[in-house]
């Protein structure tokens, strides 16, 4: 084995290394965020199951999105909380591979699921007479399953491609969790094809779904502007505003992160932006749906009286 390689079995996450005197505060803050993610998204899942008025396809997708948010945040925050609590940012080789795989899997699935939700809103507003026929239970289940299954083989391949690279003597990841770009920076080999695969995946699972969302809402806006009733317009926009808020938060933070990387700015900014879309965004989603959706607010008020 050459001298510039190491036999260390894992990596050291140094995302919080610059805040050694704030470990306790960081642990408290992110524990609160994690609990809010669990409670907020768990509550959304509960009311969309027990409330009869929330059994439409829109809330079926929302329930799956909330479940995905819990999984997504758990993938990163549990290890972060342990690191803040113990001061040990070490993670095994297999643990890092598993974290990367589930991170990109859940992120890509979320992107596809948001596109499916946009299609649901498009059919509901632009073709309301055929909505119940087109968006039947079978199609909704298939869309959700496709959002998960379509991502699995690609992300397995990407994770395998990253972790078969030879890593240099330093296994220090200046990040809060195992992500593709920080790992590629540690590789002792040409990562050109890894970069090609990474940007292809971004194109397939981020740019393409976002384009479909833009097309759906462009047609929705055209349909709404043709409505003669101002009250009808407001009602339609209110049913879309929650989804638009979630889309803006997710894709906005992801786009800022990747434009920031291309501009070669500070790596510290990258890790905080990544932390925002993996932790803060899942916490805000239930708040957005609670504040912007009248049916959800009514269901929340009824919930204490449910058996």
């Amino acid at each position: 084995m050459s001298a510039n390689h190491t036999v260390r079995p894992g990596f050291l996450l140094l995302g919080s290394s610059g805040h050694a005197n704030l470990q306790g505060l960081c642990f408290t803050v992110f524990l609160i965020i994690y609990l809010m993610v669990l409670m907020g998204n768990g509550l959304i899942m509960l009311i969309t199951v027990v409330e009869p008025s929330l059994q439409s396809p829109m809330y079926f997708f929302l329930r799956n999105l909330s479940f995905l948010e819990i999984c997504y945040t758990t993938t990163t925050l549990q290890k972060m909380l342990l690191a803040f609590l113990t001061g040990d940012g070490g993670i095994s080789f297999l643990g890092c591979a598993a974290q990367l795989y589930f991170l990109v899997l859940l992120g890509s699935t979320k992107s596809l699921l948001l596109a499916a939700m946009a299609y649901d809103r498009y059919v509901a507003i632009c073709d309301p007479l055929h909505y119940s026929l087109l968006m039947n239970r079978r199609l909704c289940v298939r869309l959700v399953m496709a959002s998960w299954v379509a991502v699995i083989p690609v992300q397995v391949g990407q994770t395998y491609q990253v972790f078969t690279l030879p890593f240099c003597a330093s296994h220090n990841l200046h990040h809060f969790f195992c992500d593709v770009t920080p790992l590629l920076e540690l590789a002792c080999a040409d990562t050109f094809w890894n970069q090609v695969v990474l940007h292809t995946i971004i194109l397939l699972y981020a740019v393409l779904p976002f384009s479909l969302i833009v097309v759906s809402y462009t047609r929705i806006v055209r349909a709404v502007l043709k409505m003669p009733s101002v009250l009808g317009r407001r009602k339609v926009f209110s049913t879309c505003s929650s989804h638009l808020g979630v889309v803006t938060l997710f894709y906005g933070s992801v786009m800022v992160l990747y434009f920031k990387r291309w501009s070669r700015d500070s790596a510290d900014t990258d890790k905080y932006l990544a932390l925002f879309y993996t932790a803060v965004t899942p916490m805000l989603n239930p708040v957005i749906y609670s504040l912007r959706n009248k049916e959800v607010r009514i269901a929340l008020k009824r919930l204490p009286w449910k058996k």
Side-chain angles (χ1 to χ4, degrees), residues 36-288:
M36 290 180 68
V37 170
L38 294 179
M39 290 187 293
N41 288 283
L43 192 59
I44 293 293
M45 291 174 64
L46 177 62
I47 63 173
T48 55
V49 170
V50 302
E51 178 58 43
S53 64
L54 303 183
Q55 301 305 309
S56 66
M58 179 174 68
Y59 297 109
F60 173 76
F61 290 123
L62 177 59
R63 180 162 65 249
N64 283 275
L65 178 65
S66 296
F67 171 73
L68 190 147
E69 296 285 35
I70 291 174
C71 298
Y72 193 49
T73 309
T74 300
T75 300
T76 55
L77 282 194
Q78 280 194 347
K79 181 59 184 176
M80 279 180 54
L81 290 172
L82 184 62
F84 283 129
L85 187 63
T86 63
D88 180 15
I91 184 170
S92 68
F93 189 84
L94 289 177
C96 188
Q99 188 179 62
L100 174 66
Y101 170 72
F102 284 109
L103 180 70
V104 293
L105 171 72
L106 294 167
S108 301
T109 303
K110 179 177 178 178
S111 184
L112 295 177
L113 189 57
L114 288 173
M117 295 174 75
Y119 175 71
D120 170 70
R121 292 297 82 207
Y122 161 73
V123 176
I125 294 167
C126 298
D127 195 5
L129 297 178
H130 298 95
Y131 178 69
S132 58
L133 180 64
L134 293 173
M135 297 303 297
N136 55 69
R137 181 75 176 182
R138 179 179 295 180
L139 178 62
C140 293
V141 171
R142 286 180 176 177
L143 286 173
V144 170
M145 290 181 64
S147 298
W148 286 89
V149 175
V151 178
I152 292 175
V154 177
Q155 301 303 356
V156 168
Q158 185 189 37
T159 304
Y160 176 79
Q161 187 187 39
V162 170
F163 282 90
T164 51
L165 289 170
F167 290 100
C168 300
S170 174
H171 278 206
N172 296 337
L173 278 174
H174 294 277
H175 213 279
F176 290 104
F177 47 84
C178 293
D179 203 356
V180 178
T181 302
L183 284 166
L184 293 181
E185 291 172 355
L186 296 182
C188 296
D190 183 11
T191 60
F192 172 77
W193 288 111
N194 297 83
Q195 296 289 348
V196 170
V197 170
L198 174 61
H199 289 95
T200 302
I201 289 174
I202 293 171
L203 178 65
L204 290 175
Y205 297 119
V207 177
L208 183 58
F210 181 71
S211 301
L212 294 175
I213 292 172
V214 171
V215 170
S216 297
Y217 274 103
T218 300
R219 294 185 176 182
I220 287 172
V221 169
R222 289 177 181 173
V224 170
L225 292 178
K226 293 178 181 179
M227 293 181 177
S229 170
V230 176
L231 184 61
R233 293 179 188 177
R234 289 179 180 176
K235 185 177 180 180
V236 170
F237 276 125
S238 69
T239 63
C240 298
S241 59
S242 302
H243 180 253
L244 275 175
V246 172
V247 167
T248 302
L249 274 176
F250 179 70
Y251 284 104
S253 56
V254 170
M255 287 179 180
V256 170
L257 173 64
Y258 282 99
F259 281 133
K260 200 76 174 176
R261 285 177 178 172
W262 292 339
S263 67
R264 301 181 184 274
D265 282 346
S266 170
D268 286 338
T269 306
D270 290 352
K271 69 183 184 182
Y272 290 119
L273 285 170
L275 192 61
F276 178 84
Y277 78 77
T278 56
V280 179
T281 301
M283 177 188 69
L284 295 177
N285 288 352
V287 178
I288 293 172

